Amino acid sequence: AQSVSQHNHHVILSEAASLELGCNYSYGGTVNLFWYVQYPGQHLQLLLKYFSGDPLVKGIKGFEAEFIKSKFSFNLRKPSVQWSDTAEYFCAVTPGSNDYKLSFGAGTTVTVRA
Amino acid sequence: DGGITQSPKYLFRKEGQNVTLSCEQNLNHDAMYWYRQDPGQGLRLIYYSQIVNDFQKGDIAEGYSVSREKKESFPLTVTSAQKNPTAFYLCASRQQNSGNTIYFGEGSWLTVV
């Protein structure tokens, strides 16, 4: 069973629109959370990560994510998207204890129209 | 340069044959992973290993086998029991206490005909 759920399979929006991608996980206890991006024809790269502390995490390229423990969620946001944000976005979770398992969500394809 | 090397990059095999994909890392990472990436399904975890001579099944281990005889090597065998082996396979590694950053290999395309 998938440990990480991404709600949106494909999101289409216009430039300057705001983006929010949902991610929920099923682990209890301490978790480490990640968002990765894969641009067309390229490999995965890390956008941001959360281990502890401030639940609002800032990443690269203007992205941020908020960890809400009570909702088991780690949603990704960007206030104003650009055409270059067209990519596939993956949420990933590791239990954060002595278990090294690292599971990814199914991904959300984001298409930004100019 | 430090990194992860996967080979071969492209591989064609006949149905019913086992095939082994190589993954080598020189990052001195404890943990290594194998994922397959299929359109619409993201990265699905096949096997992972936290230490030499130990490995754990991931979410889709059936039809696959691995070994971890050396810290730097984590080969994946796709057996004839895997019902849909044609896919893109990614190897990865990370160090649990070093920022948890995961490093990926370039991937291997396996086509079974």
Side-chain angles (χ1 to χ4, degrees):
Chain A
Q2 196 77 325
S3 309
V4 185
S5 299
Q6 291 184 240
H7 314 298
N8 312 101
H9 181 61
H10 193 181
V11 172
I12 302 172
L13 59 168
S14 300
E15 277 193 312
S18 64
L19 172 70
E20 180 161 0
L21 303 181
C23 174
N24 285 87
Y25 60 92
S26 58
Y27 295 115
T30 304
V31 290
N32 294 331
L33 300 151
F34 309 82
W35 274 98
Y36 284 84
V37 61
Q38 187 171 29
Y39 297 103
Q42 296 186 27
H43 298 292
L44 285 157
Q45 64 176 273
L46 181 66
L47 271 179
L48 48 80
K49 57 188 178 183
Y50 171 81
F51 297 144
S52 62
D54 189 345
L56 186 60
V57 180
K58 304 278 187 191
I60 61 172
K61 303 181 189 239
F63 285 91
E64 64 180 30
E66 185 176 13
F67 170 53
I68 303 180
K69 189 174 182 179
S70 60
K71 295 185 178 180
F72 297 87
S73 70
F74 190 55
N75 292 355
L76 181 72
R77 298 194 292 251
K78 185 169 184 179
S80 177
V81 295
Q82 301 171 316
W83 176 81
S84 58
D85 292 321
T86 295
E88 192 159 17
Y89 293 80
F90 296 94
C91 181
V93 179
T94 182
S97 55
N98 290 326
D99 186 347
Y100 284 32
K101 185 177 183 180
L102 178 62
S103 297
F104 285 79
T108 298
T109 300
V110 174
T111 301
V112 180
R113 292 179 172 162
Chain B
D1 288 342
I4 301 177
T5 302
Q6 286 187 239
S7 63
K9 191 167 184 178
Y10 299 96
L11 186 60
F12 293 85
R13 277 293 179 267
K14 290 184 178 179
E15 195 172 327
Q17 290 182 331
N18 291 355
V19 59
T20 296
L21 306 179
S22 169
C23 179
E24 304 278 330
Q25 54 102 355
N26 60 6
L27 300 165
N28 201 34
H29 285 170
D30 289 324
M32 295 188 74
Y33 304 82
W34 274 106
Y35 297 90
R36 64 176 280 170
Q37 187 172 16
D38 299 281
Q41 299 192 63
L43 275 72
R44 291 184 292 166
L45 181 63
I46 304 171
Y47 269 98
Y48 66 108
S49 169
Q50 302 181 189
I51 197 169
V52 174
N53 292 323
D54 184 53
F55 47 82
Q56 308 294 328
K57 290 183 179 180
D59 300 315
I60 55 163
E62 186 176 349
Y64 299 97
S65 66
V66 293
S67 63
R68 188 86 187 276
E69 296 176 2
K70 298 184 294 182
K71 187 175 185 178
E72 59 270 23
S73 179
F74 191 43
L76 173 74
T77 297
V78 185
T79 75
S80 56
Q82 167 52 230
K83 295 178 182 176
N84 186 21
T86 295
F88 183 62
Y89 291 88
L90 272 171
C91 179
S93 74
R94 73 187 179 112
Q95 190 66 7
Q96 183 81 338
N97 298 317
S98 182
N100 276 294
T101 301
I102 189 168
Y103 293 81
F104 288 94
E106 295 285 303
S108 294
W109 284 98
L110 172 64
T111 302
V112 176
V113 296

